[in-house]
Amino acid sequence: MSVTIKPRRMQAPVQSSSTPVIKSSLIEPDGGVVVDLVLPESEREAKTAEAESMPKVRLTKIDMEWVHVISEGWASPLKGFMREDEYLQSLHFNSLRMKDGSIVNMSLPIVLAIDDETKEGIGSSSDVGLVGPDGDLIAILRSIQIYKHNKEERIARTWGTSAPGLPYVEEVVTPAGNWLIGGDLEVLKPIKYNDGLDHYRISPKQLRKEFDKRKADAVFAFQLRNPVHNGHALLMNDTRRRLLEMGFRNPILLLHPLGGFTKADDVPLNVRMEQHSKVLEDGVLDPETTIVAIFPSPMHYAGPTEVQWHAKARINAGANFYIVGRDPAGMGHPTEKRDLYDPDHGKKVLSMAPGLEKLNILPFHVAAYDTVAKKMAFFDPSRAKDFLFISGTKMRTYARNGENPPDGFMCPGGWEVLVKYYESLEAEEATQQPAVLSS
């Protein structure tokens, strides 16, 4: 059995003697409403002029990604960067308590750091303008609160370690300022990247409309930051088959690659999106029952803590099933030769995390290459010697060396995309080698 469904989380399809009624929302967003903080076009000019006169906070590229995440409602009911009470609840309880006493999951602090000079410049102002890396006004942060940024506590509680070499810590937390500024966001216009991929950046509200349009009676989300191989496809297709067996008539797959910050050796977003499109073109996944969209969040690599965020955000997008596998959001230990997190803890945490009770968690068995059947299959421990595990490192080695993986590992079109990417990397590295002068 490849997929186990926790009975206490099961949501049965609507049963009726006539045609089933499709609910307009398969799962309620956290807080009951999907937050939308992008100002109406009619207000933008006046609000931009107002922001011009405010003290300014300069955003990094990753801060911008968080503005995008908050503005579209992925973090609902959060309406801005966290103030101190929200930050402490997130950091210590992985959740937020609503005014009515209910709990919503919020496992990652979503915060904005500023340095001493910026804090000094803000003075007693209650509102600030947020400026993007290119100098454009992006948003207003209202009714602000500034509080101490205890980096050591944040790192230790989020990652469970303060070992050097954590990608997000080194990129974002360590160089950040000693203060955090929270407040309510008003975003002056939709966040666009102009990288040819904006049509994939579909907001939670838009996704919910698309699920309704397709008359989905179940939506199952798959989070990934890697190219899709046939093992992933096996898992996704098998999940749909099982949902159909359970009585759902039209389960829709949300293939939802992470589109924010990733570590340097991960395959870049544009390459992954091209590879995903080939998977659909080659018929490995059915375009009629699959929606491919970009999840704009940055990646923390914080294991069981972060996987809760990944699941919670998909609730807000309308997914009522979430697929989780081995070591979700994990990585190798930065200084030791071992996994940073227990590979099974992610799915165990999701099955009992506060605020995720309404989401159906779908744990799955690991897929590997079956050398007898010559295809990707669910691992069978009784004949372990017949299975070949092709890690991301191994896959990159194949592609860099111009070797093909075993037949059936990945669709040919998708593999060709990866080979071209690694060939371009090799060429780029060759041009950067210093010239050697012979005497």
Side-chain angles (χ1 to χ4, degrees):
M1 184 166 162
S2 57
V3 174
T4 305
I5 297 180
K6 301 291 184 185
R8 75 180 181 89
R9 294 183 182 248
M10 189 57 237
Q11 294 176 343
V14 177
Q15 299 296 332
S16 170
S17 56
S18 58
T19 306
V21 176
I22 304 299
K23 294 169 68 178
S24 63
S25 178
L26 298 173
I27 187 169
E28 285 296 308
D30 283 341
V33 178
V34 177
V35 167
D36 181 356
L37 303 176
V38 180
L39 290 169
E41 205 161 344
S42 59
E43 297 180 24
R44 291 174 192 170
E45 187 176 346
K47 291 291 178 79
T48 301
E50 183 187 0
E52 293 281 6
S53 63
M54 296 176 183
K56 305 297 189 299
V57 171
R58 176 78 63 164
L59 302 176
T60 66
K61 180 174 178 287
I62 295 172
D63 292 334
M64 286 282 291
E65 292 172 358
W66 283 120
V67 170
H68 185 181
V69 165
I70 301 167
S71 73
E72 290 188 340
W74 297 102
S76 296
L78 198 65
K79 293 183 178 178
F81 286 103
M82 289 178 174
R83 297 183 178 91
E84 189 173 36
D85 61 342
E86 295 166 322
Y87 172 69
L88 291 174
Q89 288 182 69
S90 172
L91 195 65
H92 291 271
F93 310 126
N94 291 167
S95 58
L96 299 178
R97 187 179 295 278
M98 305 291 289
K99 287 181 180 176
D100 64 2
S102 62
I103 296 290
V104 299
N105 196 273
M106 191 69 74
S107 64
L108 290 183
I110 301 179
V111 291
L112 178 60
I114 57 173
D115 58 21
D116 294 357
E117 185 181 353
T118 303
K119 178 179 181 289
E120 185 85 12
I122 293 169
S124 60
S125 177
S126 61
D127 305 326
V128 297
L130 303 184
V131 178
D134 59 1
D136 288 349
L137 267 170
I138 300 299
I140 296 171
L141 200 62
R142 299 221 184 251
S143 304
I144 62 168
Q145 180 189 31
I146 298 175
Y147 54 101
K148 190 71 179 167
H149 186 191
N150 186 335
K151 298 180 189 180
E152 184 178 21
E153 180 188 27
R154 178 183 173 190
I155 293 165
R157 293 200 68 90
T158 303
W159 282 270
T161 181
S162 53
L166 298 167
Y168 190 89
V169 170
E170 295 209 335
E171 184 73 25
V172 178
V173 183
T174 301
N178 295 320
W179 305 94
L180 297 175
I181 179 170
D184 299 323
L185 261 180
E186 294 178 359
V187 181
L188 297 173
K189 60 182 179 181
I191 304 296
K192 299 294 181 187
Y193 297 77
N194 301 313
D195 57 358
L197 301 175
D198 281 329
H199 63 287
Y200 284 116
R201 293 184 175 95
I202 307 172
S203 72
K205 278 188 173 180
Q206 292 168 329
L207 282 168
R208 285 174 172 268
K209 285 181 183 175
E210 183 62 26
F211 299 145
D212 290 348
K213 181 180 169 186
R214 296 198 188 198
K215 296 184 168 55
D217 59 355
V219 175
F220 58 109
F222 188 57
Q223 145 88 29
L224 73 170
R225 64 174 197 272
N226 292 309
V228 173
H229 57 59
N230 288 353
H232 295 134
L234 169 69
L235 162 69
M236 290 182 269
N237 288 327
D238 186 69
T239 301
R240 185 170 198 276
R241 176 187 65 79
R242 298 193 64 79
L243 290 171
L244 289 168
E245 285 179 354
M246 288 156 45
F248 292 95
R249 296 189 178 189
N250 190 29
I252 295 294
L253 165 64
L254 174 59
L255 179 59
H256 214 200
L258 183 134
F261 164 80
T262 53
K263 55 190 173 69
D265 62 347
D266 280 351
V267 177
L269 178 62
N270 63 321
V271 178
R272 285 186 278 128
M273 296 311 294
E274 185 183 357
Q275 194 269 348
H276 297 351
S277 70
K278 293 295 183 186
V279 169
L280 292 173
E281 281 178 29
D282 287 3
V284 177
L285 295 172
D286 182 2
E288 294 299 314
T289 59
T290 303
I291 295 173
V292 182
I294 291 172
F295 176 45
S297 175
M299 188 76 194
H300 277 54
Y301 305 91
T305 298
E306 183 170 20
V307 74
Q308 296 173 66
W309 159 243
H310 291 165
K312 174 249 171 48
R314 276 41 180 249
I315 290 175
N316 288 329
N320 55 342
F321 291 86
Y322 184 78
I323 300 173
V324 60
R326 181 188 181 279
D327 198 22
M331 58 173 277
H333 193 284
T335 60
E336 301 173 20
K337 290 188 175 180
R338 61 179 176 87
D339 287 332
L340 183 54
Y341 306 105
D342 184 300
D344 291 326
H345 281 183
K347 60 187 177 186
K348 289 179 179 178
V349 164
L350 280 190
S351 72
M352 51 191 174
L356 296 183
E357 294 84 2
K358 60 189 172 182
L359 183 65
N360 298 295
I361 304 302
L362 304 175
F364 68 85
H365 290 313
V366 175
Y369 186 76
D370 187 333
T371 57
V372 176
K374 297 195 182 305
K375 64 178 184 178
M376 296 297 286
F378 290 112
F379 178 66
D380 181 356
S382 68
R383 52 186 192 91
K385 65 181 191 316
D386 294 335
F387 285 86
L388 175 65
F389 285 90
I390 302 174
S391 66
T393 303
K394 181 70 172 172
M395 186 177 69
R396 287 191 289 271
T397 302
Y398 280 140
R400 278 181 177 273
N401 295 341
E403 299 175 43
N404 288 322
D407 287 343
F409 171 71
M410 185 182 290
C411 67
W415 182 249
E416 187 180 342
V417 170
L418 291 186
V419 169
K420 285 182 178 175
Y421 165 64
Y422 284 110
E423 283 177 351
S424 71
L425 270 191
E426 293 283 340
E428 186 179 328
E429 287 169 7
T431 61
Q432 290 174 355
Q433 294 296 323
V436 178
L437 298 177
S438 57
S439 54

